[in-house]
Amino acid sequence: MKNLITILVLILGVTVYAQNTNVTKETKTTTVTVDDGTGEPKKLVKTQHTEARQNVEVKQTGRNTLNKDIKETPVKVTEKTTISGDGIATQELGETIRYELKGKTYILIRDNSGFKVYSPENEELGVIRKTSKTTYIYQTKDHKVSLGYFDNNGNFIIESYNNDDDSVKTERFSRITQ
């Protein structure tokens, strides 16, 4: 009887703790020593936390199939970067989200007022600022202004006025989910 109860407890415990999300976490720390000529070198520490999260779903096959194949699902990758060091308070740079538009990759980094838009080479391309509950203003480095919003899939849609033909042009920054 004891063995039967032990087996039942193990079976119930395994089914309760079934995995339905794959999570991969990675932390990369870079330490740089800077000698600015003041006599004492300063140490800067940059820490990047990367988390990839993917829902585990199985392909629907026959009812009594034991080993089912895993269905491909999107991977949501989030990155957070902190900087600290001698004489510098620890600063969190914000969540990093990657987008694609016309074959180019763009990086959105969350800040206190919205987002900053960067190229993969860390060149600042513009800013995104929240105006209301669902609307944002997107201003490029060369001062072009557009309205934008995030759709249900996390893509960023911008709408720009075209002065030449009196129309509204819509472009979609597609969220990269790997």
Side-chain angles (χ1 to χ4, degrees):
M1 187 67 169
K2 266 186 169 177
N3 290 338
L4 181 63
I5 292 173
T6 305
I7 291 172
L8 285 174
V9 167
L10 286 174
I11 290 173
L12 291 174
V14 168
T15 58
V16 169
Y17 292 107
Q19 180 181 0
N20 54 1
T21 304
N22 278 340
V23 178
T24 304
K25 295 181 180 180
E26 180 181 319
T27 301
K28 179 182 175 184
T29 304
T30 306
T31 304
V32 177
T33 303
V34 178
D35 187 0
D36 58 1
T38 59
E40 193 169 321
K42 294 183 182 178
K43 186 167 98 173
L44 299 174
V45 179
K46 176 182 172 184
T47 307
Q48 293 177 294
H49 301 281
T50 304
E51 179 180 283
R53 186 175 291 271
Q54 178 181 25
N55 289 332
V56 176
E57 297 178 13
V58 293
K59 293 180 181 175
Q60 294 299 327
T61 57
R63 280 186 67 183
N64 296 327
T65 306
L66 290 177
N67 296 323
K68 296 183 179 182
D69 292 329
I70 294 176
K71 184 181 2 175
E72 286 291 322
T73 57
V75 179
K76 180 183 178 192
V77 178
T78 55
E79 297 176 3
K80 292 189 179 181
T81 303
T82 57
I83 296 176
S84 62
D86 297 337
I88 299 173
T90 301
Q91 299 174 355
E92 186 173 308
L93 296 182
E95 180 181 3
T96 301
I97 309 168
R98 298 184 188 285
Y99 286 87
E100 183 178 340
L101 176 67
K102 298 179 183 175
K104 289 185 175 180
T105 301
Y106 297 90
I107 301 168
L108 273 64
I109 298 178
R110 185 182 302 274
D111 64 9
N112 293 338
S113 305
F115 296 91
K116 290 192 177 189
V117 182
Y118 290 90
S119 70
E121 294 80 30
N122 285 334
E123 177 187 358
E124 187 173 340
L125 302 174
V127 294
I128 298 173
R129 298 294 180 238
K130 191 169 188 161
T131 61
S132 67
K133 292 180 183 175
T134 58
T135 308
Y136 293 82
I137 291 178
Y138 172 55
Q139 181 175 349
T140 63
K141 191 174 172 181
D142 55 348
H143 303 290
K144 293 181 183 174
V145 178
S146 303
L147 290 178
Y149 60 92
F150 290 95
D151 67 8
N152 292 335
N153 297 324
N155 300 319
F156 187 63
I157 313 297
I158 59 171
E159 297 175 345
S160 306
Y161 176 71
N162 187 342
N163 218 8
D164 297 334
D165 62 359
D166 194 32
S167 66
V168 176
K169 177 181 170 186
T170 302
E171 293 179 292
R172 186 177 91 188
F173 285 85
S174 299
R175 185 171 189 159
I176 298 174
T177 55
Q178 290 187 345

